[in-house]
Amino acid sequence: IRVITADPAYGIELNEPSLWLFGWDGKSVAPVVPTKRIGYHAWITPDLIVAFLVDDVPVRNSHRAVLISRTTGQQTSLTAKPGRSLGRTADGKRALFVDQTDPNYWRISAMGVGDKQPQLLVDTPVGPEGIKDPNRSQYFAALPDGSLLMARGNLLLRWDGKPGNSFQPFAELADIGGAIRNIAASPDGKRQAFSVPLAPAKP
């Protein structure tokens, strides 16, 4: 995501397409797609990306998630209430996204080009005790076996990919110093990366 002139409300690029190809020398080459206001994205195929489009009216706060074909420019709407985390299914054919249409039940869903509607996969886990539900995690990582990882505080949870099952405790990381937010996994599923907002040091 390239930002030259920042939108004062969201920090997204104001005038130009936001998603760019870069060379190994760090220099920008060309826009991936001519679409503006892409805040987050994930690759589904070399031709297809899933994108979080940032609203251009801050008070409306109406973001969208879409599939975009690089060849045709066609956009397929996924949801009008997306989370920031995006991915692809293990078969490499459909996008994964958090649908926040119902504020009480956020759901990870899958959808591809040609699908009439998203397929509900699993409800996201509720936040730690004392944390308001709207602040619960919306970040997930997809593993090559079709399972998903999310976090609740410093606890990693895993959904096994089977319909009807829910996220279950997977690993507790007691000494990381904060709650896990962004989460990612390597293509082979053997390594994980995540961010942790650290509390300021006590004087």
Side-chain angles (χ1 to χ4, degrees), residues 75-197:
Q75 293 189 11
T76 301
S77 179
L78 301 177
T79 177
K81 292 289 183 182
R84 291 187 285 269
S85 192
L86 303 166
R88 70 174 178 177
T89 53
D91 61 11
K93 297 179 179 179
R94 298 181 296 163
L96 292 169
F97 58 96
V98 177
D99 189 343
Q100 300 178 350
T101 303
D102 184 335
N104 296 313
Y105 298 96
W106 292 356
R107 296 178 166 99
I108 298 179
S109 297
M111 188 172 175
V113 175
D115 292 344
K116 293 183 179 179
Q117 61 184 18
Q119 176 193 2
L120 167 64
L121 299 180
V122 62
D123 287 351
T124 66
V126 177
E129 185 176 353
I131 301 297
K132 294 180 180 178
D133 279 355
N135 294 323
R136 64 189 180 273
S137 177
Q138 57 181 293
Y139 301 99
F140 66 84
L143 301 180
D145 63 357
S147 64
L148 299 173
L149 294 178
M150 291 193 81
R152 186 175 63 215
N154 61 10
L155 178 66
L156 284 173
L157 302 109
R158 177 178 175 268
W159 174 62
D160 60 11
K162 296 178 181 179
N165 289 353
S166 60
F167 278 93
Q168 299 297 322
F170 178 68
E172 185 171 7
L173 307 175
D175 300 322
I176 58 175
I180 298 168
R181 293 196 64 191
N182 309 69
I183 180 171
S186 60
D188 61 8
K190 294 181 179 180
R191 293 180 175 86
Q192 300 165 30
F194 48 82
S195 67
V196 178

Side-chain angles (χ1 to χ4, degrees), residues 17-21 30-35 41 43 46 49 70:
S18 356
L19 184 58
W20 280 67
L21 293 170
V32 175
V33 289
T35 309
H41 76 287
W43 290 88
I49 63 169
R70 297 179 65 196

